[in-house]
Amino acid sequence: MVVTPGGRPLADPAEQVGLFAPEDAVALVDAAWLEVKVVAQHNERGPNRAYASALQRPVWKDIDKLAADPHILHGAAVLVLFTTDAEVADHDLGVWSSGASLRGLRLMHREQRSLAIGDRLGNRLCTVAVFPLERGPA
C-alpha cells in the first residue's frame, strides 16, 4: 500500500511529459510504503497450521525489499493478527521482531493496538502492529 500526502497521485518514475504529467504528483521518496499482512491464528479447520510460517518468512522478505529500495525512505510493516488473546499476539509479535532483527532488518520500535472482536473461528482479538523501517547509516 502506498500513502501520499492528501491522497495525491504518485509520480511515475518513467517521467511523463507535457499534458499527461500530473502537476501535483508526489515523488516516490515522499510517499509512505506499507507492507500489510493479515494472519489468523485459527481458520475454518481449527488452528491455522500455516500461521507461524505466513507471519515470518514472506513478511521478512517483503520488508527486505522495501529496505533495499533507495527510493523508499518511509516504509513500514503493518501486521494485522487475529489471535485468541493479547498474550499470543504480544508473544508472536516479539518473536517476529526478534527474527527480523536476526536477519539484519532494521526496524524501529513497534506501535500496536488491539481490539476485542466477537469469536471468529477461535480468534477473539485483532491486533495491528506497525514496525517502521529505520533509515540512516548502517
Side-chain angles (χ1 to χ4, degrees):
M1 177 185 310
V2 180
V3 181
T4 60
R8 296 182 355 234
L10 191 61
D12 187 341
E15 296 182 35
Q16 299 176 359
V17 294
L19 298 174
F20 300 106
E23 291 180 21
D24 62 344
V26 175
L28 299 179
V29 297
D30 294 326
W33 299 74
L34 307 174
E35 276 295 335
V36 181
K37 299 295 181 184
V38 179
V39 186
Q41 183 184 5
H42 298 278
N43 61 25
E44 304 81 28
R45 292 179 224 107
N48 181 358
R49 294 178 190 230
Y51 173 71
S53 62
L55 184 58
Q56 295 176 0
R57 189 164 283 119
V59 185
W60 291 327
K61 185 177 176 184
D62 290 341
I63 296 308
D64 193 35
K65 284 190 246 178
L66 277 181
D69 191 322
H71 297 104
I72 297 176
L73 297 184
H74 312 286
V78 180
L79 303 178
V80 181
L81 301 185
F82 291 94
T83 60
T84 54
D85 56 37
E87 185 177 343
V88 170
D90 289 340
H91 171 270
D92 295 349
L93 289 168
V95 168
W96 185 88
S97 181
S98 295
S101 180
L102 288 172
R103 282 159 182 74
L105 298 176
R106 297 176 60 215
L107 300 169
M108 297 190 314
H109 183 73
R110 74 179 180 253
E111 289 292 330
Q112 93 183 46
R113 300 292 182 272
S114 295
L115 173 69
I117 59 173
D119 192 320
R120 301 283 191 268
L121 305 171
N123 301 303
R124 293 183 292 278
L125 187 76
C126 175
T127 301
V128 178
V130 179
F131 293 83
L133 286 174
E134 183 178 314
R135 291 296 189 184

